[in-house]
Amino acid sequence: MKGRAGGERGKTMRQLGLCDEEVASAEDFDRAEVIPLHEEAEEPRPARGMRRAGWLLVACGLALLPWLYVLATGLPATATAAHWPVAWVGLDALEALGLIATGLLATRGDRRHALAAAATATLLAVDAWFDTTTAAPGGDFATAVAMALGAELPLAALCGRLALRALSRHA
């Protein structure tokens, strides 16, 4: 099978070479036929189950839009969280785990680093968002902005770049 494909490729390359020589020696270039080197392959259509899952996700996202209004108009301006430290420690622990997993997978050349990188980028961006929006005015807010701009968002950008680069390389 491998030899056959190579033979077909060689035949195609010879045909292209002959075509190039014919075009170069032709007196009238208007009549020369242009042969593309390769045809653009059409993207395969996703399976029916994948399309259904996609439409279900779109419907769920649209259903959340009215809920955003309910939240925006119904939530109190301040709230007390009973497990505040657990929430923040948990989020930062997930970020650390994501950074370690992404780094280890990337150093091994494992393509799954794209998944870890995408998840980690999301966690870092969410952390930056919640740090800055829940910080008290003054020093706490300045610290949150400094952390977001100096660490969380640059790391999120790096992880996002790794994920996108891996996707474009294997597409």
Side-chain angles (χ1 to χ4, degrees), residues 91 95 116-128 156 159:
L91 179 59
E95 291 170 6
T120 304
T122 303
L123 287 170
L124 288 162
V126 166
D127 191 10
C159 288

Side-chain angles (χ1 to χ4, degrees), residues 29-51:
F29 285 108
D30 292 336
R31 293 189 318 215
E33 180 182 355
V34 176
I35 300 174
L37 292 176
H38 56 83
E39 296 288 326
E40 290 293 324
E42 285 188 29
E43 296 259 345
R45 196 166 174 186
R48 184 182 316 184
M50 183 66 74
R51 288 193 310 265

Side-chain angles (χ1 to χ4, degrees), residues 134-142:
T134 61
D140 286 345
F141 182 73

Side-chain angles (χ1 to χ4, degrees), residues 6-92:
E8 289 175 3
R9 176 176 281 175
K11 181 180 174 185
T12 304
M13 294 305 290
R14 283 192 295 278
Q15 288 172 343
L16 288 173
L18 288 174
C19 180
D20 288 343
E21 291 170 9
E22 292 169 1
V23 170
S25 64
E27 292 179 30
D28 187 6
F29 285 108
D30 292 336
R31 293 189 318 215
E33 180 182 355
V34 176
I35 300 174
L37 292 176
H38 56 83
E39 296 288 326
E40 290 293 324
E42 285 188 29
E43 296 259 345
R45 196 166 174 186
R48 184 182 316 184
M50 183 66 74
R51 288 193 310 265
R52 284 183 181 163
W55 284 116
L56 175 65
L57 292 173
V58 168
C60 289
L62 291 172
L64 277 176
L65 295 178
W67 178 245
L68 295 176
Y69 175 76
V70 171
L71 288 176
T73 59
L75 286 175
T78 60
T80 302
H83 303 289
W84 190 251
V86 174
W88 286 109
V89 170
L91 179 59
D92 286 354

